[in-house]
Amino acid sequence: QFLVGRLYKGFWLPEPYAPGILAFQRRFTPRPDDVVLTSYPKCGTTWLKALAFAVMARNAYPPAAADHPLRRLNPHACIPFMEDIFTERREAKLESLPSPRLINTHTPYSLLPETVTTGGGCKVVYICRDPKDMVVSLYHFLRHLQPGLSFSDTFDSVLDGTVPYGPMWDHILGYWHASVTRPDRVLFLKYEDLLQNTGEHVRKLAEFMGRPFSAAEEALYTVASIVELCSFDNMKNLEVNKTGATEWKCKNMAHDSFFRKGVVGDWMNHVSPEMATRLDEIFHDKFRGAGLI
Ligand code: A3P
């Protein structure tokens, strides 16, 4: 049912989440020090959540600590997902969180609460990824929810823009333009860059969130321990992430729904050269002149 969407102001919102997204848009009141972690699905949301949480919580929980929350809880349990919160009317939980709050959504930029996108608002961090790797990851995710789903159905829905939260190009462009016009408020990250130099991006993230690393922390290799704590191998092998103990709605999600391969270029094992060219051409065309590629 996640492939069934409702078209709203140019985006295909997943049917089960559409009311929650609209309620989030109308009712969310940001605090100035909130940080909204946003992404196109399957582009590294879980990783970004873990990194941002580890950065924010590093005083209370040194990253190397054996009892660090990320060793006991799935990253999804550490940071509330707005689609769930507002669909299930659990706003009281949101209000009870101490500042600075980290929250998460896949809502397109143009549908975010106006209180977030205008004026002082709060900070927004976005992560995107090569669409070819995204579509492979999405297929492996959705096939657990929709048995019988084929890879070509998933691919076609990305191509025609009807994929959940699609069109993907408009989702990316909305955040890209916002990051260009409001660089102090919107940070735009790419999964591939994060993977290539995680430490440098963790520093960038911490600085953007108003929590730069001190010289003492650098001397203590705090950045390196955060990178290690949140690394794919560490996260994938944590018992809590293996058993799927998560606040996420589908408690029966398979282990590989959120931790599968964690690499760049796995699309080559699934996408034919012709399909890759079609996807690349569409995205190049949509991104023309945006300064994004
Ligand atoms: P793959 O399916 O290509 O392996 P999301 O969290 O937005 O659902 O994205 C899931 C993708 O991020 C999956 O990609 C998953 O393996 C990858 N991922 C999860 N944790 C990661 C980590 N710590 N480092 C790198 N990639 C990670």
Side-chain angles (χ1 to χ4, degrees), residues 13-263:
L13 306 183
E15 187 67 43
Y17 284 148
I21 292 169
L22 299 189
F24 169 49
Q25 186 187 54
R26 288 174 196 140
R27 297 207 296 266
F28 177 69
T29 310
R31 300 178 193 157
D33 55 0
D34 281 344
V35 180
V36 187
L37 306 174
T38 64
S39 58
Y40 194 82
K42 311 320 294 170
C43 290
T45 322
T46 315
W47 190 19
L48 177 63
K49 281 185 178 185
L51 289 169
F53 182 85
V55 167
M56 274 299 196
R58 66 190 193 264
N59 282 343
Y61 302 104
D67 69 339
H68 194 285
L70 285 171
R71 294 187 216 282
R72 297 180 275 115
L73 294 168
N74 183 291
H76 300 287
C78 296
I79 297 178
F81 183 48
M82 293 304 98
E83 280 83 327
D84 277 345
I85 292 282
F86 282 90
T87 303
E88 294 163 11
R89 300 180 166 272
R90 290 192 283 131
E91 284 121 290
K93 177 183 166 151
L94 204 56
E95 289 311 315
S96 70
L97 290 178
S99 292
R101 294 182 301 186
L102 290 172
I103 66 167
N104 168 238
T105 185
H106 294 308
T107 301
Y109 188 79
S110 59
L111 300 184
L112 284 179
E114 226 174 88
T115 45
V116 170
T117 56
T118 57
C122 59
K123 294 197 174 176
V124 176
V125 182
Y126 183 72
I127 186 161
C128 73
R129 186 182 195 186
D130 182 334
K132 302 190 287 307
D133 280 332
M134 186 289 295
V135 67
V136 171
S137 190
L138 182 68
Y139 165 66
H140 285 288
F141 177 81
L142 289 176
R143 73 193 175 91
H144 297 299
L145 300 174
Q146 289 174 230
L149 178 77
S150 70
F151 178 71
S152 68
D153 283 346
T154 315
F155 183 85
D156 288 346
S157 75
V158 174
L159 214 58
D160 67 19
T162 59
V163 69
Y165 296 96
M168 186 186 182
W169 47 83
D170 284 339
H171 200 284
I172 297 174
L173 279 173
Y175 281 96
W176 171 250
H177 288 312
S179 75
V180 172
T181 53
R182 306 175 70 220
D184 56 324
R185 296 278 126 188
V186 183
L187 178 67
F188 189 96
L189 300 174
K190 294 181 187 168
Y191 180 91
E192 295 76 18
D193 296 344
L194 198 55
L195 203 60
Q196 195 175 18
N197 193 339
T198 313
E200 178 194 309
H201 286 84
V202 167
R203 285 190 186 86
K204 201 185 224 184
L205 182 64
E207 215 158 284
F208 178 77
M209 295 196 303
R211 302 287 315 281
F213 292 94
S214 65
E217 285 178 310
E218 290 289 355
L220 287 169
Y221 300 105
T222 307
V223 176
S225 4
I226 289 176
V227 171
E228 169 57 23
L229 172 67
C230 302
S231 69
F232 180 78
D233 286 343
N234 185 55
M235 293 252 114
K236 182 166 178 138
N237 291 317
L238 284 171
E239 201 51 40
V240 65
N241 293 327
K242 280 186 186 165
T243 55
T246 165
E247 276 211 342
W248 209 73
K249 230 189 203 69
C250 299
K251 297 206 188 319
N252 58 350
M253 289 304 285
H255 180 215
D256 79 355
S257 296
F258 293 104
F259 303 97
R260 198 181 61 89
K261 286 199 172 172
V263 297

